[in-house]
Amino acid sequence: MSRTRRDPRTERALHLVAGTARPRLDRAAAPAAASPTGRPRRDPRAEVDSALVPGPARRRLDRTLRQTGLTGQTGHIVHLIEPEIALTAPPRIVVVEEPAFLVAAVPDAPGGRLTAHDRQVLGAARLLAEGGGAVVALPGGPVEELGGAGADRSQVLAGESEFDPEGRAAALAAALRRLKVRHAVFPETAEGGDLARRVAAALGEPLFAAAESLTARAVTRAARGRRVEQRATPPRLVSLTADAVAAYAGAPREAREINALGEVAAVPRAIVSARVVPADPATVPLSEAEFVVSAGNGITDFERFRALVAALRATPGASRVVCDAGLMPRAAQVGASGTVLDATCYFALGIAGAPQHLQGVARCEHVVAVNTDLHAAMIERAGLAIVADAQEVMPALLAALQAEETRE
Amino acid sequence: MKITVLLSAGRHPVSARPCPPAVELQALRLASGLAADITGLHAGPSADGVADALGHGLSTLNLLTIKGDSDPLVSLAATLKATTPDLILAGRQAQGGEDSGLLPYALARELGLPILADVVRIDAGGEGLLAVEQVLPRGARRRVVLRLPALLTVHPAAPAPLPFTFAAARRGKITQLQGVDSQPPSAAPEERPYRKRPKLIAKSAAGASAADRLKAATEAAAGGGRLLVNPAPAEAAREIITHLREIGVLRR
Ligand SMILES: Cc1cc2nc3c(=O)[nH]c(=O)nc-3n(C[C@H](O)[C@H](O)[C@H](O)COP(=O)(O)OP(=O)(O)OC[C@H]3O[C@@H](n4cnc5c(N)ncnc54)[C@H](O)[C@@H]3O)c2cc1C
Ligand SMILES: Nc1ncnc2c1ncn2[C@@H]1O[C@H](COP(=O)(O)O)[C@@H](O)[C@H]1O
């Protein structure tokens, strides 16, 4: 059907100012009734005005409407993204009272925190528990946020000492036997993979090692030098590679503590002593580093930058511009044509955040950025973003770290 | 000290021709650094490929002949129970077979030996003891002292294998022994040509556009970003240090 026709006469009548002898029109006033099409009219001028970013001399617009809280004064702390949880009521906790069967997940959880891989393992266990099952998490130490990651039950199964893989594997095998779990999922990491194989040997069962895809009906893995894909219905013991299954994203679950301790057979222990030697951050390869401090084109004082990296006990990195200029070695380049990081924290000094650079830090959990430009992509990516001159922040950081050391 | 190195029939990762997996040759090198009596042990239908290990510093290879599809575990366990070496070295994972890395664990269980994974350095540690270095993620190491006899698996970060020498390969001795044939495992999984599966990309939904994927790669991971505009340098430094401490990357 054609659009309703405009009626200029009635539109004009809506703008008439009442009470004067001569007909007067007030075009600025909003018409009493909406337009005949029912759509509110856009006001491009007002939109542009509200998107104007105050501050810099050059006119700049921010059309994402994220800066509405920004007032432009210096030294203000602005929360860019409001936590969404505050707006909605806390989600209800899902409770499985009488599970038909159990699926175990064994997260590594180094330092009591779930890694992304651990969350994927819990997500995979959740997939296998569809249809009335419950997921029971069996970490090696107390872990928070298990419920949010999809665990219905939990039980800590630790070894006797800090490094006791034999004891932990025996306790785990006993728990799996006692709980009669239908499946047990492990992460295919150094620790999780070792544990999975120990448990498989203790139970005398096959392990579907390094699964690369997993659904309730089929798991696959590579074999024969990655020339063949093996496919089977999920067996009892599965270890899962990273980034194969999505983490659980539903409503939180209760992660109720249960008693899963089974009868542990006596284990002969051969380890006399064990001591962890931490990696030397100055020599560890960039792809394995935990904390990377990186310099971009905004940095000119590289002596100070190196001193700062050493004081923070971090691994040095750089953007491509800096490496091209020969100011840092090529091995330090972060990004698509350099090294893709797997770090926990990335600290970027004077880096704009080109897409090629950001690809290199996509997997970093935390990003801290110092840049003079409020609109740099790195500032947007950062969890803590500081709009300041990095040349001045570096000596301040060094002084603060030194002051702390002398105080101790 | 008597050391047995377990050698599997590997395939070259690129050409797929028979050759010993690199990590098992690295195990050989670790063993030869201990000045000990070293034997290689393989259970399989022939010594194809495995024999190349003789050129990398091995003088004797014991070949347990079994049928192609029988489980090597039974033969290996029987032989090792008879020879009782002080130390057994294996690769972390074979290359060209099942590639599950499960055999050393099953063998250790069968022999009642302790097992330690991912070793990159072995030193003699006194009477009946061994000092080894184990690889941990992120470049860290763990120094472990353990009692012998034991079974260790070697990590690819160990020193490179000794170079191949043709004369040594000619000189090396292969002893053929009869292995124990056993039933192949009943429920063999279905096999098909390998297909690479896409990795999950953080946060972006399936079928998302390139723009969405770029956004997922570049957006703040944890949300709740905090922005400080033109703070004094000292204040900025304080904020950064507290933040790094909270995350746990900056330790005293
Ligand atoms: C095919 C291809 C591959 C690439 N691969 C990579 C790669 O792997 N890695 C990589 O890094 N790049 C890569 N690049 C280059 C990339 O596109 C950018 O050019 C580069 O990342 C920019 O580096 P930068 O941020 O250090 O420099 P710039 O873009 O010059 O940015 C400097 C930043 O520092 C800020 N600044 C200036 N002075 C100060 C100060 N005193 N204090 C604080 N901040 C200050 C500025 O505001 C600016 O944001 C690639 C490009 C191509 C075409
Ligand atoms: N048939 C075999 N004979 C001797 N050693 C083997 C054999 N198969 C596997 N191994 C050893 O066990 C390790 C792990 O093998 P796998 O469990 O097949 O990945 C290998 O690196 C070898 O050291």
Side-chain angles (χ1 to χ4, degrees):
Chain A
M1 213 187 81
S2 61
R3 270 204 293 160
T4 42
R5 291 187 65 166
R6 286 183 59 189
D7 183 354
R9 269 172 225 276
T10 43
E11 271 175 27
R12 186 161 173 272
L14 289 173
H15 287 285
L16 264 181
V17 179
T20 47
R22 253 173 75 208
R24 279 191 60 202
L25 297 177
D26 183 3
R27 292 269 184 201
S35 71
T37 57
R39 265 200 303 160
R41 284 188 71 162
R42 286 184 56 198
D43 184 352
R45 269 172 225 273
E47 276 172 22
V48 166
D49 282 344
S50 70
L52 252 184
V53 176
R58 234 176 91 210
R59 219 167 101 94
R60 298 194 83 155
L61 299 182
D62 178 10
R63 303 231 185 230
T64 60
L65 298 183
R66 287 215 330 192
Q67 306 272 340
T68 40
L70 198 67
T71 47
Q73 280 97 15
T74 55
H76 271 214
I77 295 170
V78 184
H79 289 272
L80 279 185
I81 305 159
E82 290 296 331
E84 274 174 27
I85 304 103
L87 303 176
T88 51
R92 288 253 310 280
I93 290 179
V94 183
V95 177
V96 182
E97 212 46 74
E98 302 251 311
F101 58 92
L102 290 173
V103 176
V106 188
D108 281 348
R113 281 161 64 174
L114 293 178
T115 62
H117 196 169
D118 288 337
R119 287 179 190 277
Q120 292 163 6
V121 164
L122 281 154
R126 193 68 253 152
L127 268 183
L128 293 173
E130 280 314 313
V135 172
V136 47
L138 302 170
V143 181
E144 283 167 22
E145 34 171 14
L146 277 173
D152 299 297
R153 306 280 187 276
S154 74
Q155 156 86 58
V156 173
L157 291 175
E160 262 171 28
S161 56
E162 198 174 325
F163 179 61
D164 180 18
E166 291 138 341
R168 187 166 170 220
L172 205 53
L176 296 185
R177 236 187 241 128
R178 169 167 169 192
L179 296 175
K180 298 194 177 63
V181 297
R182 187 178 281 187
H183 301 285
V185 192
F186 298 80
E188 180 68 20
T189 53
E191 190 192 336
D194 180 56
L195 202 58
R197 286 167 178 84
R198 282 176 196 272
V199 169
L203 294 175
E205 282 183 40
L207 166 75
F208 200 85
E212 293 186 344
S213 78
L214 180 144
T215 62
R217 262 184 273 125
V219 273
T220 66
R221 63 180 295 267
R224 315 217 180 287
R226 302 190 77 79
R227 271 162 225 285
V228 159
E229 181 183 88
Q230 294 186 332
R231 188 186 173 86
T233 49
R236 204 148 98 97
L237 304 177
V238 176
S239 74
L240 191 71
T241 53
D243 296 334
V245 177
Y248 175 69
R253 301 191 163 247
E254 54 173 345
R256 190 197 305 165
E257 299 230 351
I258 53 164
N259 179 13
L261 297 175
E263 221 172 278
V264 182
V267 271
R269 289 188 172 80
I271 293 163
V272 178
S273 72
R275 180 168 61 90
V276 174
V277 185
D280 176 9
T283 57
V284 70
L286 207 51
S287 56
E288 284 186 19
E290 195 188 0
F291 177 27
V292 178
V293 177
S294 213
N297 206 14
I299 297 291
T300 46
D301 187 353
F302 279 85
E303 280 310 311
R304 195 157 267 163
F305 171 70
R306 283 190 201 101
L308 176 65
V309 172
L312 288 171
R313 263 162 268 145
T315 309
S319 77
R320 180 162 169 173
V321 176
V322 170
C323 295
D324 281 351
L327 296 164
M328 291 284 285
R330 179 64 74 196
Q333 183 184 322
V334 174
S337 52
T339 305
V340 176
L341 302 183
D342 204 8
T344 311
C345 180
Y346 184 66
F347 183 9
L349 289 155
I351 295 182
Q356 294 92 347
H357 188 85
L358 286 177
Q359 278 168 37
V361 292
R363 288 218 296 271
C364 297
E365 197 181 334
H366 303 281
V367 175
V368 180
V370 179
N371 199 311
T372 40
D373 181 5
L374 171 62
H375 302 280
M378 206 73 214
I379 291 283
E380 182 162 346
R381 170 69 174 82
L384 172 64
I386 292 176
V387 179
D389 190 339
Q391 285 320 329
E392 284 163 23
V393 172
M394 281 200 300
L397 261 172
L398 273 170
L401 287 168
Q402 238 153 33
E404 267 180 25
E405 229 157 71
T406 47
R407 222 179 301 138
E408 273 157 24
Chain B
M1 188 157 45
K2 240 169 48 178
I3 305 182
T4 299
V5 180
L6 299 182
L7 300 166
S8 65
R11 301 220 155 241
H12 192 272
V14 177
S15 70
R17 289 171 57 155
C19 78
V23 68
E24 289 162 27
L25 299 178
Q26 289 175 303
L28 252 179
R29 181 190 188 152
L30 287 184
S32 51
L34 282 173
D37 154 25
I38 309 166
T39 17
L41 185 61
H42 171 66
S46 75
D48 275 0
V50 184
D52 276 358
L54 291 169
H56 291 277
L58 182 70
S59 53
T60 344
L61 172 65
N62 289 340
L63 174 66
L64 304 171
T65 39
I66 51 172
K67 286 209 205 84
D69 55 356
S70 52
D71 189 358
L73 177 65
V74 191
S75 316
L76 291 174
T79 307
L80 290 168
K81 263 183 199 147
T83 55
T84 59
D86 299 308
L87 181 62
I88 306 173
L89 294 180
R92 168 180 226 264
Q93 194 183 55
Q95 184 184 85
E98 189 79 356
D99 300 1
S100 64
L102 204 58
L103 183 123
Y105 290 85
L107 192 60
R109 181 82 187 170
E110 196 82 354
L111 299 172
L113 290 182
I115 179 166
L116 192 72
D118 296 344
V119 167
V120 288
R121 212 177 118 181
I122 308 178
D123 296 305
E127 193 57 34
L129 293 177
L130 203 63
V132 301
E133 210 169 272
Q134 187 188 28
V135 172
L136 296 181
R138 297 204 183 283
R141 299 274 191 266
R142 186 186 276 132
R143 299 229 167 96
V144 181
V145 176
L146 78 169
R147 268 189 287 276
L148 291 174
L151 200 158
L152 306 178
T153 72
V154 174
H155 191 269
L162 294 172
F164 180 83
T165 51
F166 184 69
R170 289 280 305 260
R171 230 180 297 123
K173 227 175 40 212
I174 299 182
T175 318
Q176 287 215 14
L177 304 163
Q178 185 56 45
V180 189
D181 282 327
S182 60
Q183 290 292 323
S186 50
E190 177 194 339
E191 295 199 344
R192 42 173 86 176
Y194 183 65
R195 173 162 77 89
K196 221 174 176 169
R197 288 174 188 273
K199 293 244 173 204
L200 285 184
I201 300 174
K203 290 196 288 183
S204 76
S209 67
D212 290 340
R213 289 203 301 276
L214 179 64
K215 200 156 159 259
T218 52
E219 231 171 27
R226 225 154 78 77
L227 177 68
L228 262 66
V229 182
N230 288 346
E235 190 200 335
R238 211 170 340 101
E239 283 283 341
I240 292 171
I241 290 176
T242 8
H243 186 72
L244 295 179
R245 285 255 150 78
E246 259 170 38
I247 301 167
V249 290
L250 186 61
R251 297 179 200 100
R252 277 168 216 288

